[in-house]
Amino acid sequence: MKRWLGWLLLAGCAAANAGEADDPMLPPADLVLRAISNTPEVRRAEAGVATADAQARMRASGSYEGQVTVIPQRRRVEGDRNYNEWELDVSRPIRLPGKARLDREIGATGLQAAQLSLEDAHHASARRLLAAWSDWQRARLEREQLQQLVDIARRDRDAVARRVTLGDAAERERLATESALAQSQAALLRAQSTQAQAEVAWRSVFPSLPLPEREAGNGYAPPALSGDDEAWVKLIVARSHEVGASEALARQKDAEARRARADRVPDPTVGVRMLSDLGGRERAYGVVLGIPLGGSYRQAEAARAGADALAAEADLAVVRRDIEQGARTVVASARAGHAIWQSQREALQAASASAAKAARAYALGEAGIAELLAARRTEQEAMLAERQAAVDALEAVTRVQVDAHAIWHRHDGDDAPSPASGLPALPDLGE
């Protein structure tokens, strides 16, 4: 089975080459991309791009279609014969100069917004995959740890039972081990249910990405977030497709406002007219010019479009603010998560040393079974806390990588900004 890996390393600017580093706690990047592309959210966004492309072509061509009007008629003249007559009008609205350019601009910015929304849907699915994957990892670790605790409690119960039979231990010690075993088994059942629910949630959203068959062992050390925090924040904001989509939408609304103002001068309709009267004895040819008379409706429409443009600018400011705030939060969480894991690791070392001393004291008869069970439970709880803190730290670091589009995106690193662009270069992600 292919090892679970998926760490994409980028360094410096656009000329840097991408590399991969093994991490047993992350799924393979190629399978991740495939699973994300198959989500209904991404497929819906792809349909949105097709819609925006069609709308852009519609705006470029315009709705200014020609019209043919045919009027056949029969004239009856008193004291004379009847005459077949007809009239033919061919006309077409003419888009005034400047409006075609605005229509193309509206269509192009709408298509760009849809394309960026597709990338943002991909990014949102990557974040959702990371969260679901981490939830399953935490549930799996808890089930593994509680299974170990049940095994230890069962061995303790059997050992104490033999000692009670030989008269080396009191009956209350056997009852204490029976109680500890029952509590551990109940906790294990809850953990198994939690893991099953996490698996169901995972397979319902990402059915094409299998969960690992092998269980990760103890001693996993999550990577720390390297690089400068402010550089990460700027990179996340600079690469945010949500910000880009909001910018494109704001430009589209501004172009629509300018188009509505231009529409206060109506487009004329130009055509030719031909008629045949008195059975063709009279023929006439002429030019038709129609000009709508704009009024308060067009003024109100221009005012509405202008207000929409202002609202889009305000929405863009909100998105930029929220993205920057979220970027600072995830970077700070990555720093804190690794520090928490280090503290939990130290706590585990102390708890393991205490449990070892309690076991020796119990073997020498210097401590009772209650002290030994308490020390072992504390050690197992500390081990579970350390392993789950490692998952939390990995999730926090990976979240920064995902938000910076360093991993799990279809064009990872392709748009890495160079120092000359004024944007931050991608920090070195370390080993």
Side-chain angles (χ1 to χ4, degrees), residues 37-56:
S37 298
N38 290 331
T39 57
E41 293 83 0
V42 172
R43 292 200 301 269
R44 185 186 186 281
E46 289 173 348
V49 172
T51 299
D53 179 67
Q55 290 175 340

Side-chain angles (χ1 to χ4, degrees), residues 10-16 235 239 411-419 421 424-426:
L10 299 175
C13 58
L235 187 62
R239 289 185 173 179
H411 307 290
D412 294 341
D414 290 349
D415 58 346
S418 63
S421 68
L426 186 64

Side-chain angles (χ1 to χ4, degrees), residues 372-400:
L372 176 60
L373 293 177
R376 283 183 172 173
R377 178 172 293 277
T378 300
E379 180 187 23
Q380 291 298 316
E381 291 175 350
M383 186 175 296
L384 176 59
E386 186 271 339
R387 297 183 72 185
Q388 289 190 332
V391 174
D392 294 343
L394 175 63
E395 180 183 12
V397 171
T398 308
R399 172 65 183 272
V400 174

Side-chain angles (χ1 to χ4, degrees), residues 241-252:
H241 290 129
E242 187 176 359
V243 172
S246 296
E247 289 176 342
L249 182 59
R251 292 195 302 271
Q252 184 186 37

